[in-house]
Amino acid sequence: MPDFKQNPRPKQIYQLTLTIANAPGSLASVEGVMQFDVVTPECLPPPKENGGMPWSVPTHNFPITWTRISDTEYTGLVYIDGMLDEDYYGKGMCHWKLIQARADLKATGANGETRFMPNIEPDKLLAQQAQTTYFLKEFYPRNPDIENYPEFGQADRSKMAPSLKDDDLFTVTLTSKAATP
């Protein structure tokens, strides 16, 4: 695998504000990642160099550093141009694209707790729009059936069971704002 490189001087920077509302308890562990994928598969070696199988699309994640503003609000920076486009395989320029910025929240950070994982996609991030994700309170702080349960939530409240009341849910909103380098 080539040594994929982060952009040391990104210019397309957005500040994300993460806001938690109506959670059943604290979400004191806040982490997250920016996910980048290569969007030019023609830069990858031919399948014959991989035993006849197509190469997996390269993906690279690096962390979002969140700053605590209050018990329910954090900020972090996301870089649209966070990866360097290069000819990593000798087959042509590999272009990277931000696929998502995602938070990873847990009650305390202890092993086994549910991982509440809201995300915001690049189109909303670039448009400086907010993305609200709904989560079931019943999975806080742990899903009783699954350790380290990855709960992605639902961005469209209307797609959730009609029997769910607002008291059964909490939200995490990611709001984007352009920042200066």
Side-chain angles (χ1 to χ4, degrees):
M1 287 296 286
D3 182 23
F4 301 127
K5 298 174 187 160
Q6 288 182 223
N7 184 351
R9 291 178 290 288
K11 293 181 177 31
Q12 296 176 293
I13 304 170
Y14 287 79
Q15 179 178 300
L16 279 184
T17 300
L18 181 151
T19 307
I20 303 162
N22 302 316
S26 69
L27 290 163
S29 173
V30 179
E31 299 178 354
V33 297
M34 292 169 260
Q35 176 190 338
F36 293 87
D37 288 358
V38 167
V39 293
T40 49
E42 59 274 10
C43 78
L44 302 175
K48 68 180 180 183
E49 293 180 25
N50 192 29
M53 300 296 296
W55 291 83
S56 297
V57 172
T59 294
H60 186 76
N61 295 326
F62 58 91
I64 297 172
T65 302
W66 295 101
T67 301
R68 183 178 183 267
I69 305 302
S70 72
D71 288 345
T72 59
E73 189 173 76
Y74 296 79
T75 61
L77 296 178
V78 174
Y79 309 103
I80 301 296
D81 56 345
M83 295 294 293
L84 287 178
D85 294 340
E86 287 192 2
D87 185 356
Y88 289 101
Y89 297 94
K91 305 292 181 188
M93 188 70 72
C94 288
H95 296 281
W96 293 91
K97 180 180 178 189
L98 178 69
I99 301 302
Q100 67 174 331
R102 185 181 73 229
D104 190 336
L105 300 94
K106 293 170 90 175
T108 66
N111 188 37
E113 291 180 337
T114 298
R115 297 171 57 208
F116 297 98
M117 301 168 65
N119 75 351
I120 187 167
E121 295 178 4
D123 57 339
K124 287 200 175 204
L125 196 135
L126 291 167
Q128 300 182 66
Q129 296 176 340
Q131 174 66 57
T132 297
T133 305
Y134 297 85
F135 295 98
L136 293 171
K137 289 181 179 180
E138 71 181 89
F139 294 138
Y140 177 92
R142 298 173 183 270
N143 179 323
D145 301 321
I146 303 170
E147 292 259 320
N148 300 307
Y149 181 63
E151 173 57 47
F152 296 98
Q154 176 57 256
D156 184 349
R157 172 71 169 95
S158 70
K159 290 184 178 178
M160 299 180 87
S163 61
L164 288 172
K165 298 176 180 65
D166 287 341
D167 286 347
D168 298 328
L169 306 171
F170 72 96
T171 61
V172 177
T173 301
L174 294 169
T175 306
S176 169
K177 182 174 117 180
T180 55

